[in-house]
Amino acid sequence: MAESAEQVHARVLAAADEHGRMPLPSVAEWDIFPWEVVDGALVTRPLAPPAPEEPREGEAAADCRICSTDSARVIWSNERWRLKHLDERSGLPLVLILEPFAHLDLPDLDDEMAAEFGTLAVRIVRAVEALPNIARCHASRIGDGATHLHVWFMARTKGLPSVRGSFAVDWDDILPPGPEEPWREDLAAVAASLASYDDRVVD
Ligand SMILES: [Zn+2]
């Protein structure tokens, strides 16, 4: 079972500085980070001038790191899809990635794959939101980094008001990872929930 809001709060405060702040995550150094401090005030960064689109990782399947995903990270799969966790635990209690085995992006899915994607997305969110101490499971496809479709499912802790909305993505980088055992228990619970559908007989 994931930590309660009180447990997360106490653990984070123990790791924070005397003001309760964690160090800035690396995203603050990215050139797409939209804010900066000028003369002591937080302001928006100027919009960068137009530029050619940069190639995404894995434009060719032979160069795609997602195609060669480490199978040890996969918690559930069928013939076409796999659900995996990150290389390492992160700030949110559970972050999962759904991706096709085939080197396809979202617009490449045929109707059958698209329908299955929708079904799996609902099942994953349902399984994660059924976990104790989890309020919500956000689902998102960004796709600016890598060509190979990878959809994020990010769980946030129930009753932790800072970590609501789209900023949960930033808190995932800010907060120190929680303990391993509850994380593994939740991974197993989600995998079991998805497997229960696999066993269902469809007429
Ligand atoms: Zn690929």
Side-chain angles (χ1 to χ4, degrees), residues 69-148:
T69 277
D70 176 8
S71 60
R73 292 169 53 190
V74 176
I75 67 166
W76 171 90
S77 65
N78 65 13
E79 298 79 27
R80 293 162 299 279
W81 298 89
R82 63 186 165 223
L83 184 68
K84 67 185 187 184
H85 58 72
L86 302 181
D87 275 330
E88 298 176 344
R89 302 191 308 284
S90 53
L92 294 177
L94 202 61
V95 179
L96 300 168
I97 299 173
L98 177 68
E99 60 197 23
F101 279 93
H103 186 74
L104 300 170
D105 199 354
L106 190 57
D108 303 326
L109 302 183
D110 61 22
D111 285 354
E112 189 177 354
M113 283 281 282
E116 190 176 30
F117 166 65
T119 300
L120 290 173
V122 170
R123 290 176 181 176
I124 294 164
V125 170
R126 184 183 293 144
V128 174
E129 293 194 354
L131 296 171
N133 293 328
I134 301 299
R136 209 82 60 214
C137 178
H138 303 310
S140 69
R141 175 264 188 180
I142 306 294
D144 273 341
T147 310
H148 193 135

Side-chain angles (χ1 to χ4, degrees), residues 46-53:
L47 186 66
E53 287 283 329

Side-chain angles (χ1 to χ4, degrees), residues 49-62:
E53 287 283 329
E54 295 181 11
R56 298 184 297 168
E57 184 183 311
E59 291 286 353

Side-chain angles (χ1 to χ4, degrees), residues 9-85:
H9 187 249
R11 179 171 55 78
V12 172
L13 275 193
D17 68 13
E18 68 271 26
H19 304 293
R21 299 183 204 282
M22 293 299 299
L24 280 175
S26 60
V27 66
E29 306 291 330
W30 293 7
D31 59 2
I32 54 172
F33 191 68
W35 295 286
E36 60 186 345
V37 175
V38 176
D39 297 333
L42 183 66
V43 296
T44 57
R45 278 193 178 147
L47 186 66
E53 287 283 329
E54 295 181 11
R56 298 184 297 168
E57 184 183 311
E59 291 286 353
D63 305 326
C64 177
R65 284 196 297 177
I66 295 177
C67 275
S68 55
T69 277
D70 176 8
S71 60
R73 292 169 53 190
V74 176
I75 67 166
W76 171 90
S77 65
N78 65 13
E79 298 79 27
R80 293 162 299 279
W81 298 89
R82 63 186 165 223
L83 184 68
K84 67 185 187 184
H85 58 72

